[in-house]
């Protein structure tokens, strides 16, 4: 905004009390300042942003746990892991014609998984 005449900012605070970012409002018109009511509104918006970020984080954790359970179930049932779940893998044929897949996990360790026929 080339001619900013008003600026108000409130912190976005984590549940642990750490300021992780800020929420601000700017306007090209001069204002008298932020009264108590305006500050409460900005603080409520800031808290809503933090709740949204927490919900997104919880959803990501849920999705990851769900995928891990599906993969574990497939491993127990001796089914192959779908390619889209392990995009950074390579296949190689071992002695006896058995195929194995090498998957790189998030810690950059190679994990060899057998590929079972599902037909």
């Amino acid at each position: 905004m080339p001619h900013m005449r008003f600026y108000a900012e409130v912190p976005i605070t984590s549940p642990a009390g750490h300021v992780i970012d800020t929420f601000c409002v700017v306007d090209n018109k001069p204002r008298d300042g932020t009264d108590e009511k305006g500050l409460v509104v900005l603080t409520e918006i800031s808290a809503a942003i933090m709740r949204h970020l927490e919900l997104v984080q919880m959803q990501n954790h849920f999705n990851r746990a769900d995928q891990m359970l599906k993969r574990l179930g497939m491993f127990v049932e001796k089914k192959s892991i779908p390619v889209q779940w392990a995009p950074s893998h390579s296949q190689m044929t071992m002695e006896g014609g058995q195929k194995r897949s090498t998957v790189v996990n998030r810690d950059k360790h190679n994990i060899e998984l057998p590929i079972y026929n599902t037909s």
Side-chain angles (χ1 to χ4, degrees):
M1 199 171 263
H3 302 288
M4 182 173 56
R5 304 289 302 270
F6 176 79
Y7 180 87
E9 180 178 41
V10 292
I12 298 174
T13 308
S14 74
H18 303 288
V19 175
I20 62 166
D21 210 337
T22 59
F23 174 71
C24 69
V25 177
V26 292
D27 198 350
N28 60 355
K29 299 174 189 165
R31 308 272 179 176
D32 290 334
T34 306
D35 60 357
E36 188 66 29
K37 185 178 177 182
L39 187 58
V40 167
V41 169
L42 289 177
T43 303
E44 287 176 358
I45 293 171
S46 170
I49 292 169
M50 188 65 235
R51 284 191 302 274
H52 173 74
L53 293 173
E54 287 180 296
L55 288 173
V56 168
Q57 183 181 32
M58 286 172 49
Q59 183 67 43
N60 287 339
H61 285 241
F62 173 78
N63 289 342
R64 185 168 176 217
D66 187 49
Q67 281 190 350
M68 288 174 64
L69 283 173
K70 287 178 183 175
R71 291 175 186 170
L72 181 59
M74 292 181 80
F75 176 77
V76 169
E77 295 171 5
K78 297 186 177 184
K79 292 183 178 177
S80 64
I81 296 174
V83 174
Q84 66 269 20
W85 286 2
S88 60
H89 76 285
S90 61
Q91 289 186 9
M92 58 182 163
T93 303
M94 306 298 283
E95 287 183 34
Q98 181 185 12
K99 292 189 176 186
R100 296 187 83 63
S101 176
T102 303
V103 179
V104 179
N105 69 5
R106 70 183 190 125
D107 296 324
K108 305 295 184 220
H109 296 107
N110 288 338
I111 301 173
E112 286 193 5
L113 301 171
I115 299 175
Y116 298 99
N117 278 338
T118 56
S119 50

